[in-house]
Amino acid sequence: MSHETTSNIQAVPPLLSVQGLHVEYRTRKGPVRAVDNVSFDIQRNEVFGLAGESGCGKSTIAQAILRLHKPPAHITDGQVLFDMTDVLKLDKKALQQLRWEHIAFVSQSAMNALNPVMTVGEQVIDVMQAHRPVHRKQARQRARELFDVVGIDPDRIDSYPHQLSGGMRQRAVIAIALALQPELIILDEPTTALDVVVQKQIMEELKQLKDEFGFSALFITHDLSLLVEFSDRIAIMYAGEIVEIGSSRQIFTEPQHPYTQRLMGSFPTLHGERKAFLGIPGSPPNLLSPPTGCRFHPRCDVAIAGLCQEVHPDLFTVGDKHHAACHLVTEKDRDFQQS
Ligand code: SF4
């Protein structure tokens, strides 16, 4: 985790700026607000982590950034600025150029991302030739190099996806993602389907590749210990909203939102001491009719009676570029101002 670089890279304009993004699923029962007024920036060469329980909206954001979402999902408001260009306004051709060339996407299931009737090498070559005037022989040589880079024997480029292990398939997808040296790679639960040892190996390799290739990453996972280990900054999502955002160190050592605190207590750290896990009582709300006030209030054991059920908390500054959406934080600040 490169905390030292975080302060330096914050000063330059962001590579990606998501502003006021709203995504809803139009269902027969009514609109489900999967992503509700979400804003964050990703700097160049930064790993930005997005965490939260299943269904909190993190994968919907990943898909919306590249407009990969399909009906009934609809982007109803907001901006996705990549290098100052609004992705949501691009025509089809410009969008196709953006995908893989500038922003690559690595999803949870390599088997779904790969074409089962093409060799994995062909699929790398395909992506290269679709975007660049590269000769087939050169593309094949580049595919071999990329396989070597991601830790697969280059001779395996002639294998079909079903002939590779789960870890190798995921590495092959990462090789495709690296093929055009994009500025941003979206990693949507990239290792969730793999066993923990392979998971750790692939994350370590991705970190090295990031340093070597110099890309930024949006890293999405429900596994906070992995996220803290590999991200520079982190946003915590709950029920479609960002409830806390800060550096990995701030989120790890001084989480302010009760949900973040509970989430941190639910995972073992990769290198830390053994401890009892707290868990989070209850389950996330139905977004067809989310709770009034703070959406976490039905599960929050420190909710303020008469306030949390009624008033929606805004993101409040709690430290240097550290924000949390909780009335307890504003209450603390009021006490501080009055004293
Ligand atoms: Fe809990 Fe209230 Fe803070 Fe929500 S705003 S997390 S209910 S204390």
Side-chain angles (χ1 to χ4, degrees), residues 70-112:
K70 295 191 173 79
H74 295 270
I75 297 173
T76 53
D77 203 0
Q79 285 186 315
V80 176
L81 300 170
F82 179 77
D83 226 356
M84 313 293 273
T85 301
D86 193 346
V87 177
L88 305 186
K89 293 190 174 144
L90 292 180
D91 62 24
K92 209 173 162 189
K93 192 168 171 231
L95 190 61
Q96 274 168 354
Q97 273 170 353
L98 182 84
R99 293 176 182 161
W100 296 116
E101 177 110 35
H102 299 284
I103 307 179
F105 192 93
V106 176
S107 67
Q108 180 179 150
S109 172
M111 209 56 197
N112 291 345

Side-chain angles (χ1 to χ4, degrees), residues 176-187:
I176 296 173
L178 292 172
L180 300 168
Q181 299 203 3
E183 292 99 316
L184 176 68
I185 300 186
I186 298 174
L187 302 160

